[in-house]
Amino acid sequence: MAAKLNEIVNKKWPQIQEKFRLDYNLTSVSYNTWIEPLEVGSVAKDGILEIIFTGENSSFALDHLTKRFSVLMKVTIEEVTGQSVDIRFVPEPKKPSQSLYKNNKESDSVYPLTERSGIKKEYTFDNFILGSSNDEAHAAALAVAENPGKVFNPLFIYSNPGLGKTHLMHAIANFILDKDKTAKVRYVTSETFMNDYIDACLKKNRPAMVEFQKKYRDVDILLIDDIQYIFGRGEDTLVEFFNTFNDLYVKGHQIVISSDKPPKDFATLEDRFKSRFMQGLIQEIKAPVYETRMAILNRKVQDSGCKFNDEVLQYIAKNVKSDIRKLEGALGKIVSTQHLHNSELEPVSLDTAKDLLKDFIDEESQRTPTPDDIIKAVAEYYKIRPEDIKSKKRTKEIATPRHVAMYLIRVMTDYTLKDVGDIIGSRDHTTIKYGFEKIMTEMNEREEFKKTIETLKKKILG
């Protein structure tokens, strides 16, 4: 029976993958990173069908697959095959490691690349906290790290400050160097790039410029953080950056860039330069939702050695929303106070925490709308009745406003997916998750729709 189940699932695996992609509205990034690398394994002694993840066997990959896709994959397999099945994700058996760049030779550059030069070892994919606001960027970064120069080249990641762009860039670099210590990886900030270029120009000799170009072009992977500071500066610096960009791109070497906004929003950037970035993938990181903020805090608490009351952590997560650095800073404020004034490191009270964190609380957290406020505003905008959003109607005129309401309740309040499901007509949390991800995809693909969501947010907040 076990062999038969394995044979049935294996035979219909392409159909299962495609149905999974369509049913759960996966973007190409998510599908290519998590679902496409899956293969059907054997049925274990405990009767569970093993699904093999053929990507890198890091712990976070299997953990993410299990948490996000395990139940959904089980349902999809059962729907396609008609067979009842339990599954688990397992890693691919280890293979002998190979160099990413077989012809790589020691560089004779005057700027030698020491291992992880300028790269923070503590920033890895393993300790990057995943959530709905950043999983697409994470998936893209992982895909690039696994196949540098082969997919999403260049990769352009943008977000407001403090949301994890730099973490992902260092994670890419660390991942590649862990896999191949001979890979030539260079991570710099845009300020470092500009200063190096200016220094080379000031020397006013050809060898200095050759040395500069060798530093940035004789690499396998170039990562430049906060590229926005180059735009709007001298034309010569911008031209040199794009000459470097083109040289690496033509050679098939990976380029990763981060910024505080997408290329199209740079008013001073010429269209010919913007089009270069469009050759790859542009990915946004949004502000973390409540669950992600709690996960970040819990990870930091484990590292701190301090004790915390749950109500204090919940208070921080509910009131510091816009910036991960600010979130960590708020926790750090309490940790430092405990170390200074409490030899036993006992948890501080909620009242003490509120007093300590006055300067950290986001202004918008004081104006948290209710679900009814959001539903009313959405219904008004789409010219339908609030009760239509909670109804069982499935027409397009109702479905889109309903998904918008689900999304806004999720991002503007601290209600969980299950809570939102109860609010929007007793719907299952997987339905809410689907609606939430559908709106995120629409916002990424349609600028006009994204503006509609922003308009609704402003209207709701008054």
Side-chain angles (χ1 to χ4, degrees), residues 100-140:
L100 291 170
Y101 300 94
K102 293 183 177 60
N103 298 322
N104 202 2
K105 298 178 181 179
E106 281 296 320
S107 171
D108 58 356
S109 169
V110 295
Y111 294 98
L113 278 177
T114 58
E115 186 184 352
R116 302 183 205 275
S117 176
I119 299 164
K120 296 181 179 179
K121 291 185 179 181
E122 65 270 23
Y123 285 167
T124 67
F125 286 117
D126 287 310
N127 59 26
F128 185 83
I129 304 296
L130 276 172
S132 56
S133 59
N134 61 26
D135 60 349
E136 287 294 301
H138 169 274

Side-chain angles (χ1 to χ4, degrees), residues 193-322:
F193 180 91
M194 288 188 292
N195 288 340
D196 286 347
Y197 178 66
I198 292 168
D199 286 345
C201 290
L202 289 174
K203 290 177 182 176
K204 296 182 179 180
N205 60 67
R206 179 62 184 161
M209 188 54 67
V210 170
E211 289 172 8
F212 167 80
Q213 291 175 349
K214 195 174 186 69
K215 175 179 181 179
Y216 286 99
R217 301 184 192 185
D218 186 22
V219 295
D220 300 312
I221 303 98
L222 177 64
L223 307 100
I224 300 186
D225 214 349
D226 289 324
I227 198 69
Q228 68 269 15
Y229 296 118
I230 288 180
F231 304 149
R233 296 296 181 95
E235 178 68 14
D236 288 348
T237 305
L238 191 58
V239 169
E240 183 58 38
F241 164 72
F242 277 104
N243 286 340
T244 299
F245 179 101
N246 289 334
D247 183 80
L248 292 170
Y249 183 81
V250 168
K251 290 188 290 190
H253 291 189
Q254 183 67 49
I255 307 152
V256 183
I257 296 164
S258 83
S259 176
D260 64 348
K261 54 188 171 184
K264 64 182 178 58
D265 286 355
F266 287 100
T268 60
L269 191 61
E270 294 180 30
D271 288 341
R272 66 191 176 100
F273 292 149
K274 292 178 183 179
S275 67
R276 301 286 208 289
F277 296 128
M278 299 298 290
Q279 293 169 326
L281 178 71
I282 299 173
Q283 197 67 57
E284 181 183 11
I285 300 177
K286 298 181 176 68
V289 296
Y290 174 76
E291 285 84 358
T292 307
R293 299 196 297 272
M294 279 297 294
I296 291 168
L297 290 172
N298 280 314
R299 173 74 65 85
K300 293 296 178 182
V301 166
Q302 290 174 15
D303 297 338
S304 72
C306 292
K307 299 175 184 177
F308 277 83
N309 291 322
D310 287 342
E311 60 181 5
V312 171
L313 292 181
Q314 290 164 7
Y315 175 76
I316 298 172
K318 287 179 180 179
N319 291 284
V320 184
K321 302 178 181 180
S322 59

Side-chain angles (χ1 to χ4, degrees), residues 378 382 384 388-407 424 427 431 434-436 438-439 442 449:
V378 171
Y382 284 99
I384 60 175
D388 289 332
I389 289 176
K390 298 182 180 181
S391 72
K392 300 297 182 183
K393 296 178 183 177
R394 295 193 173 188
T395 62
K396 185 177 181 181
E397 291 74 19
I398 303 299
T400 297
R402 181 180 293 135
H403 288 154
V404 169
M406 291 174 181
Y407 173 82
I424 307 288
R427 285 175 165 80
T431 302
Y434 169 80
F436 179 84
K438 183 175 178 62
I439 295 301
E442 287 283 307
F449 185 74

Side-chain angles (χ1 to χ4, degrees), residues 169-213:
M169 296 187 83
H170 286 279
I172 291 170
N174 280 313
F175 187 101
I176 290 171
L177 285 169
D178 283 343
K179 192 174 181 180
D180 180 7
K181 288 181 170 57
T182 68
K184 291 186 282 186
V185 180
R186 188 174 296 285
Y187 164 86
V188 294
T189 64
S190 62
E191 182 179 8
T192 298
F193 180 91
M194 288 188 292
N195 288 340
D196 286 347
Y197 178 66
I198 292 168
D199 286 345
C201 290
L202 289 174
K203 290 177 182 176
K204 296 182 179 180
N205 60 67
R206 179 62 184 161
M209 188 54 67
V210 170
E211 289 172 8
F212 167 80
Q213 291 175 349

Side-chain angles (χ1 to χ4, degrees), residues 353-373:
K354 287 180 178 179
D355 187 57
L356 288 170
L357 301 178
K358 286 177 182 177
D359 295 335
F360 286 89
I361 302 306
D362 291 336
E363 187 178 324
E364 66 267 24
S365 68
Q366 308 302 325
R367 310 192 302 272
T368 302
T370 66
D372 285 340
D373 293 335

